[in-house]
Amino acid sequence: MEEPEMQLKGKKVTDKFTESVYVLANEPSVALYRLQEHVRRSLPELAQHKADMQRWEEQSQGAIYTVEYACSAVKSLVDSSVYFQSVEGLLKQAISIRDHMNTSAQGHR
């Protein structure tokens, strides 16, 4: 009869010990310590990622500005096609007048 009683007491002691270890392992200060370790290990990498992202954002902003400037220049060229057509018409008219003057000058000789 002594042995089952001893086993019961042994089981109670081990259960209490297990519960105590579990409580200690999950105590808030231990959790905070683990959190601090995690942050300390991962923070440099996160800071590097942030710096990379900021550099890529700056490069992207520069590229966007360049593209917008190029689009504006192309739009200005398209809008000025009317003026180019006008100049082309005037040049054709001037060439026609020159040719007409050359032929009339040759006729007087």
Side-chain angles (χ1 to χ4, degrees):
M1 188 100 123
E2 243 178 72
E3 187 154 325
E5 190 176 316
M6 286 299 274
Q7 286 181 349
L8 182 63
K9 285 183 181 183
K11 182 163 177 22
K12 283 183 181 179
V13 168
T14 57
D15 286 346
K16 287 288 184 183
F17 181 73
T18 304
E19 182 181 338
S20 296
V21 169
Y22 181 78
V23 168
L24 284 175
N26 293 304
E27 185 182 6
S29 62
V30 173
L32 291 175
Y33 173 75
R34 289 181 181 159
L35 183 63
Q36 178 197 11
E37 278 186 328
H38 172 71
V39 168
R40 187 176 43 82
R41 273 187 266 121
S42 59
L43 188 63
E45 184 179 345
L46 289 174
Q48 183 61 44
H49 284 304
K50 180 182 177 185
D52 291 344
M53 293 300 289
Q54 287 174 334
R55 187 173 62 253
W56 292 336
E57 180 185 15
E58 289 172 6
Q59 291 173 350
S60 298
Q61 290 297 327
I64 288 169
Y65 174 77
T66 301
V67 168
E68 287 176 346
Y69 185 75
C71 288
S72 173
V74 168
K75 185 180 180 311
S76 295
L77 284 174
V78 168
D79 291 343
S80 64
S81 66
V82 173
Y83 302 109
F84 285 127
Q85 290 171 355
S86 175
V87 168
E88 180 184 24
L90 290 171
L91 285 173
K92 285 181 181 179
Q93 187 178 10
I95 291 170
S96 174
I97 291 172
R98 182 198 65 188
D99 290 345
H100 180 67
M101 288 174 68
N102 284 344
T103 56
S104 34
Q106 288 175 357
H108 287 296
R109 288 186 191 168

